[in-house]
Amino acid sequence: MLALAPDDSSRRAAATLGRPAPWDGTGAAGDLVWGLCAGSAKNPYQVIVELDGPAFKCSCPSRKFPCKHALGLLLLWSAGTVPDLREPSDYARAWHESRREKAERASAAADAAGAGQKDTAAAARRAAERAQRAASGLDDLQEWLRDQVRVGLAAAATAPAASQAAATVAGPADMAARMVDAQAPGVAGTLRGLSGLARSAALGLPVRAAGGAGVRGAGTDQAGPAAADGAAGWPARLLAEYAMLHLLTRAHERLDALPDGLAAVVRSRVGYPVSRDDVLARPAVTGRWLVTAVRELTDGTVPGRRIWLRDDGTGQWAMLLTYAAPGGAWQDPRTARLRPGTEVHADLHYYPGQPPLRAVPGSRHGEPVAAKPPAAPDGLDGMLAGWADGVARDPWLTYWPALLTGTPLPPGRLAEAGAGPAGCGADPRRWYLADQEGNALPLADRESLWTLLAVSGGQPVTVAGEWHPDGLAVLTAWHGDEAVTL
Amino acid sequence: MTTGVSFDDLVTVATVGVSRKGFSVSELAGPAAGNAGATDAADPAAALLDAAALLTVARRAGVRPVPCAARAATGGAAGQPRGARSERELPATAARLLRRLGHADQAPGFAAGDAGLVADLLGAVRDAGCVASAPLLPELLAAAARTRALRPAVVPVLGERGRWLAAQRPDWRRAVTQETAGRTDDGGPGGDGAGVSAAEQEIWRTGDRDERRGLLASLRRRDAAAGRELLAAGWAKETGEDRAALLGMLAHGLSAADEEFLEAALDDRAGPVRDTARRLLGRLPGSAFRGRAAHRAAGVLRAERHAGRGRLVVTVPGDPDEAAVRDGLSTTSPVPGIGPWAWRLIQVLAAVPLAGWTARLGPPPAEIVRLPVANDLALYVRAGWRHAAVRHRGSAAELSEWVLALLEADSETRVNWPQGAWVSDTALAAMLPATARAERAAALLAAARVDDGMGAYALSAEVAGIPAPWPAALAGAVISVLARSVARPVLPPLPRALLGSAARCLPADGAVDYAAELTLLAGTCPRDWSALLYGAAETVALRRAFLAELR
């Protein structure tokens, strides 16, 4: 919520105002939240927030947007201290209506402009130019990748510039910049994630990492490609990532020959844009979508979140990806209220690609409601089978949704439990999740694992999260009917 | 190459460089074996990357679970099955309020500065017969491990699940064991009935100091003699620190049977052991130790008629003899500004319970304290009595008479002696029953000037020391101090010092809504400091909501 704040001082001020004391006449109805806040003026400020935007209105003179009062009101609302009312107050309704009229006028104007018919020929030309630019950029990348293994990963990272051919001097970060120019932002992001790994090479870190714990925090939480081969040392991880980029360049060369689904995967990994309208034009999948887990993405330049949804009836998964917009709001405000354990009856439209995961929400058939705890669909084996199937269709896949029942085991406990051959191959420094069928998977190391253990009480517990090849990140655990965010 | 190229082989080549090492691929290891022909034949670097991609995808897709015994999943590995359903968990809303009040909602973990408030709330949880909810446990245990003051509040609300969880982490386990060692009710390492079980013998031999303290405490509560014998058996082999720490556990189930052992400990090599023995012997009615102290004190103070009025005459004790030194009297004064003879007087008086003077001198405490003392020694006598008041418990009614008399006697003077020589009013008042203490504090508040900076500190410390929730009289007095201040442009020192404890201690479950009263005041006070009042009001309001959730 505080991520919406324009600056630090607003954030602090909002934290003080997010308390019931200075507020009066607060209420919420539908997407509107309003209240009167005692401030420095004679009359209290009228503060209104429309959650479906979010849009803010406050009668205070502050030039910051949103102002601290609006943020405070949001905090108050999120703490559950704003009563739900049937009708908005008069000032809130007036503002809401004027806002809606404005929006209608604007969309009418946009329709008029659209009627002018975009030049489809020009659009096609732009697309061709873009493909051309990407192809040439990826050619450069392919050559650069080959140079890395020709010169040697160690030498490429450490050797002084003078002794190298110009092409190999560039590090992953330089290459990332080149990929931005080539309009291949997907590849650029991957390369940026690798520059840290390449730096560890430059620092002469040991070739074998200290162990699974070596990727603690940064690696597992960013869930970036660099984390995907956890326990291995940096050369192995770097080679794996370079190889996957190399595979992408080779696939892009024969884009036209690939089956449609795979071609769409390659385009999305390279970073071809897909407009939201195009996605919304794809067939709708209606379902009662349970929010199983929300992954906060904090490592990027903008905060974002991955919201995992599952329809219990069909077993279908979906993932909504949303980022903070420059103004501080979520780009897709309708996702802001999707918290783990809630269910929403809505249409989703999947992005092109396989397996279908990423989606955007279409029409909604009801407000999000608290849902019963889900039943885990299958064991660890079943989840891994789904993952393997996913990798077969998208080799660049690095995470996969998980909804499982299992018992968390703190470090060292798996070895205790498994007498004889069982339990061998387990890392005694890692947490595991064990299921009833005698299988266990390592867990990504996070401080909240202790909360998971507390919720489990040493018994099987239903959890949801993301599977990465180096461990399962548990993001939600059900404690009775309550979905606990970890 | 018969086994095929493995990923590790590729890493070796790639690290050194294809240009130096050369590379050609004929076979690939594992599930990628069938695809070796797909690699680039022309460029060895491309071939290596092709092969690496094939093996990487194969390895990622082929992750297998680690086999484990099925019982691992049913709690067999992590301990016994847990989750007693008979325990009532703190409702989720109350848990949210608790995290908010403890400032654990914005950043993880309870802030140490909120320990007092959190401890009060947890006390209410315990009184309501609830245990902490599972998601709350790790933060509570982490706070207890970090902040010692929180342990007495956290341990009783852990419940079966929380105790099990604490056993999973050494730092949590230590915090809980140490706390259990100091508690008087049930708990501590297993074992019941008389005597020492084999498991206890094992802990006694191999456990760390805290575990052994816990064991001794629980054994003493069960079978005091067995506990003493266990301690005595290995006494000579313990280190000085261990001896002092373990001897203190004899406080549980202390009786005349322990006197001989404690008396012997007065000759211990280690000072802390001797101090502990003296403290325990002083609590033992009828002990020889107390007899010796009473004998020494009797010669120091007597009443006589002088010029038609009663007065007290002091015979300053001489240098302590060997027996007196053994009983804890020192020859030199540790307190600067207090001479050796004065210190001897204070020590001798401090060593005997005040009840003895009431019996010996005749009149009730209020009159005894008012008697003039020959040679202007009254302050020294009262200093000794103040020490005696906080050191010895006895009949509560008589003690509170003494305390009130002593507080009254020096209410006008401000004694500037160092802390070690003069027991402060606050410490003395703490010996009063809660209601008497609160009444006294309320009276002081009613008389206090709101902008007396020096007085504000001492007075607010005294008020803050009164356990929450405050009685109505004290709560009213605090509100009235705030009401007297609302006209000031800046918040005066006294209400400023009171606000923190007021937020924590104003009653939050009675008929009077103090949150509303504070909000009312905040509406009338200058804007510059209304936020402080709003903050306190909010804390009280949240406490009200929390307590309502518990009902």
Side-chain angles (χ1 to χ4, degrees):
Chain A
M1 189 74 66
L2 285 172
L4 294 172
D7 55 31
D8 266 355
S9 71
S10 296
R11 205 165 292 143
R12 274 193 301 276
T16 352
L17 284 172
R19 321 237 148 197
W23 290 92
D24 191 25
T26 57
D31 275 338
L32 279 183
V33 184
W34 64 91
L36 299 174
C37 181
S40 43
K42 197 173 79 196
N43 294 321
Y45 299 129
Q46 297 178 345
V47 191
I48 316 162
V49 178
E50 187 179 355
L51 300 167
D52 191 358
F56 309 94
K57 166 73 184 166
C58 178
S59 57
C60 79
S62 167
R63 267 170 300 140
K64 286 180 181 165
F65 190 79
C67 70
K68 60 185 178 177
H69 305 104
L71 289 171
L73 182 61
L74 273 179
L75 282 177
L76 206 63
W77 171 77
S78 68
T81 39
V82 173
D84 278 318
L85 301 178
R86 199 166 309 162
E87 285 294 315
S89 71
D90 290 344
Y91 61 86
R93 199 200 339 257
W95 174 73
H96 185 56
E97 276 166 8
S98 80
R99 198 172 129 71
R100 204 172 48 205
E101 278 165 22
K102 237 184 273 174
E104 277 164 8
R105 273 201 304 277
S107 78
D111 283 350
Q117 279 305 325
K118 284 180 189 160
D119 188 351
T120 45
R125 199 180 63 236
R126 276 199 302 277
E129 274 171 18
R130 186 184 177 102
Q132 184 52 46
R133 214 172 295 164
S136 114
L138 291 177
D139 276 349
D140 290 355
L141 175 65
Q142 192 170 54
E143 198 46 47
W144 179 81
L145 289 168
R146 290 178 186 189
D147 279 340
Q148 301 301 303
V149 294
R150 256 185 221 122
V151 177
L153 298 177
T158 55
S163 71
Q164 297 294 323
T168 60
V169 175
D174 307 301
M175 231 27 224
R178 170 79 184 87
M179 290 303 111
V180 172
D181 292 344
Q183 293 188 331
V187 177
T190 308
L191 283 165
R192 265 197 301 272
L194 292 179
S195 56
L197 203 54
R199 258 202 306 282
S200 72
L203 291 172
L205 293 188
V207 170
R208 304 298 302 182
V215 291
R216 180 191 180 101
T220 48
D221 265 312
Q222 79 188 20
D229 295 276
W234 66 261
R237 290 164 61 193
L238 206 52
L239 178 60
E241 294 308 326
Y242 283 172
M244 294 313 292
L245 282 174
H246 167 80
L247 186 65
L248 190 59
T249 63
R250 282 197 58 175
H252 190 262
E253 285 170 353
R254 16 191 318 258
L255 196 54
D256 296 336
L258 294 178
D260 284 350
L262 193 56
V265 168
V266 172
R267 274 194 211 97
S268 96
R269 296 289 171 187
V270 169
Y272 282 75
V274 180
S275 88
R276 195 184 165 85
D277 290 340
D278 289 350
V279 179
L280 283 171
R282 290 166 61 86
V285 182
T286 309
R288 296 195 177 276
W289 299 100
L290 169 74
V291 182
T292 59
V294 175
R295 175 84 185 220
E296 302 289 343
L297 305 170
T298 50
D299 58 318
T301 42
V302 253
R305 43 170 59 151
R306 272 201 290 269
I307 302 169
W308 289 102
L309 304 171
R310 186 173 182 276
D311 183 334
D312 196 40
T314 61
Q316 176 99 27
W317 283 98
M319 185 264 286
L320 310 179
L321 188 60
T322 177
Y323 287 99
W330 289 109
Q331 280 174 344
D332 190 349
R334 272 177 304 176
T335 61
R337 287 165 78 184
L338 296 177
R339 296 174 200 153
T342 56
E343 190 181 78
V344 59
H345 187 199
D347 289 351
L348 294 184
H349 304 265
Y350 284 98
Y351 274 73
Q354 61 182 21
L357 277 181
R358 187 170 175 199
V360 294
S363 5
R364 211 177 242 192
H365 309 301
E367 288 299 297
V369 291
K372 290 256 154 241
D378 38 34
L380 300 182
D381 256 339
M383 191 271 292
L384 286 178
W387 154 253
D389 187 50
V391 173
R393 289 196 274 168
D394 174 1
W396 296 278
L397 207 57
T398 52
Y399 51 81
W400 187 250
L403 178 63
L404 301 162
T405 296
T407 310
L409 300 172
R413 293 295 153 73
L414 188 60
E416 274 173 37
C424 68
D427 185 336
R429 288 161 298 197
R430 299 196 69 175
W431 286 72
Y432 282 86
L433 187 79
D435 74 359
Q436 309 266 30
E437 293 150 23
N439 289 321
L441 281 178
L443 298 180
D445 195 11
R446 313 169 83 217
E447 185 54 32
S448 61
L449 286 173
W450 289 100
T451 309
L452 171 64
L453 187 66
V455 169
S456 80
Q459 294 287 309
V461 62
T462 301
V463 298
E466 287 178 356
W467 161 253
H468 303 267
D470 66 328
L472 177 71
V474 181
L475 303 171
T476 310
W478 272 268
H479 179 52
D481 282 348
E482 184 192 358
V484 180
T485 302
L486 300 172
Chain B
M1 205 181 289
T2 52
T3 52
V5 177
S6 74
F7 190 74
D8 283 344
D9 299 335
L10 297 178
V11 172
T12 311
V13 176
T15 309
V16 178
V18 175
S19 59
R20 260 179 261 178
K21 195 131 183 172
F23 179 73
S24 73
V25 62
S26 51
E27 275 182 78
L28 287 175
N35 294 307
T39 55
D40 195 312
D43 181 348
L48 185 139
L49 286 168
D50 283 338
L54 283 165
L55 289 171
T56 299
V57 173
R59 194 186 45 194
R60 285 183 185 173
V63 174
R64 300 301 310 144
V66 179
C68 69
R71 72 190 166 91
T74 54
Q80 293 303 304
R82 289 297 141 180
R85 299 288 169 238
S86 59
E87 290 176 331
R88 187 179 152 225
E89 265 202 2
L90 188 66
T93 320
R96 220 170 14 249
L97 288 164
L98 178 65
R99 294 166 56 92
R100 178 124 193 231
L101 279 163
H103 294 104
D105 56 341
Q106 306 280 334
F110 287 103
D114 299 314
L117 177 56
V118 171
D120 291 344
L121 298 173
L122 293 177
V125 174
R126 182 199 56 212
D127 294 344
C130 286
V131 298
S133 52
L136 209 53
L137 288 169
E139 274 171 330
L140 286 180
L141 284 167
R146 222 175 25 237
T147 313
R148 194 172 278 266
L150 266 179
R151 293 180 190 170
V154 169
V155 169
V157 297
L158 287 178
E160 204 183 336
R161 186 192 291 259
R163 286 191 293 276
W164 168 82
L165 185 66
Q168 310 297 315
R169 247 176 90 152
D171 54 338
W172 293 353
R173 186 170 55 227
R174 260 195 305 280
V176 173
T177 326
Q178 283 172 9
E179 177 50 32
T180 319
R183 273 167 63 205
T184 48
D185 58 347
D186 181 54
D192 47 41
V196 189
S197 70
E200 286 178 315
Q201 286 284 8
E202 183 60 24
I203 297 175
W204 185 251
R205 267 191 294 119
T206 59
D208 64 23
R209 188 182 300 155
D210 290 317
E211 285 170 337
R212 301 179 72 213
R213 271 161 61 92
L215 180 141
L216 186 56
S218 82
L219 183 57
R220 283 283 292 179
R221 287 193 287 267
R222 206 170 71 225
D223 181 350
R228 187 182 58 248
E229 281 155 22
L230 184 67
L231 181 60
W235 185 248
K237 292 197 288 288
E238 307 282 1
T239 67
E241 279 182 341
D242 282 345
R243 286 202 302 278
L246 294 169
L247 189 64
M249 295 298 104
L250 293 194
H252 301 284
L254 186 68
S255 75
D258 302 318
E259 186 178 355
E260 192 184 336
F261 186 71
L262 290 169
E263 190 71 38
L266 287 180
D267 298 316
D268 199 276
R269 285 192 308 278
V273 177
R274 297 197 296 271
D275 288 340
T276 306
R278 282 178 204 123
R279 188 164 49 81
L280 294 176
L281 282 168
R283 278 197 225 165
L284 213 50
S287 65
F289 177 86
R290 275 176 66 156
R292 295 196 293 273
H295 180 72
R296 276 191 286 273
V300 161
L301 208 56
R302 65 189 160 79
E304 65 164 33
R305 305 291 300 176
H306 177 75
R309 294 173 43 212
R311 69 166 188 176
L312 294 176
V313 179
V314 173
T315 314
V316 174
D319 268 340
D321 55 15
E322 209 170 299
V325 170
R326 181 171 178 267
D327 283 351
L329 269 63
S330 66
T331 46
T332 54
S333 163
V335 188
I338 306 293
W341 63 268
W343 184 242
R344 288 200 296 273
L345 173 61
I346 292 171
Q347 285 184 101
V348 167
L349 290 174
V352 292
L354 292 166
W357 298 114
T358 333
R360 179 182 294 273
L361 300 174
E367 286 178 36
I368 296 179
V369 172
R370 268 203 299 271
L371 285 175
V373 180
N375 301 329
D376 272 347
L377 291 172
L379 205 53
Y380 298 97
V381 172
R382 289 204 297 274
W385 281 341
R386 279 181 174 242
H387 278 290
V390 297
R391 194 179 295 178
H392 306 279
R393 313 286 151 99
S395 139
E398 187 168 4
L399 181 61
S400 73
E401 269 189 69
W402 271 100
V403 168
L404 287 172
L406 286 169
L407 286 169
E408 171 66 28
D410 288 300
S411 60
E412 299 301 317
T413 47
R414 188 166 277 164
V415 181
N416 284 327
W417 289 10
Q419 231 176 354
W422 185 258
V423 174
S424 70
D425 282 5
T426 305
L428 199 55
M431 305 308 293
L432 291 170
T435 44
R437 216 178 144 190
E439 275 166 28
R440 183 185 121 80
L444 289 174
L445 283 176
R449 286 186 302 121
V450 292
D451 43 13
D452 170 13
M454 283 292 286
Y457 179 76
L459 186 50
S460 65
E462 166 126 25
V463 172
I466 294 167
W470 287 339
L474 179 58
V478 170
I479 293 288
S480 113
V481 166
L482 293 170
R484 297 208 299 273
S485 316
V486 289
R488 308 299 182 95
V490 288
L491 183 59
L494 180 59
R496 182 181 290 274
L498 284 172
L499 261 183
S501 47
R504 178 191 149 190
C505 302
L506 284 173
D509 55 353
V512 187
D513 184 352
Y514 289 99
E517 300 217 354
L518 288 171
T519 312
L520 212 61
L521 288 175
T524 55
C525 77
R527 214 170 47 243
D528 286 342
W529 51 277
S530 63
L532 293 169
L533 281 182
Y534 278 128
E538 189 218 351
T539 302
V540 178
L542 290 173
R543 284 173 51 223
R544 265 187 101 83
F546 178 81
L547 293 177
E549 281 295 321
L550 284 179
R551 277 196 289 273

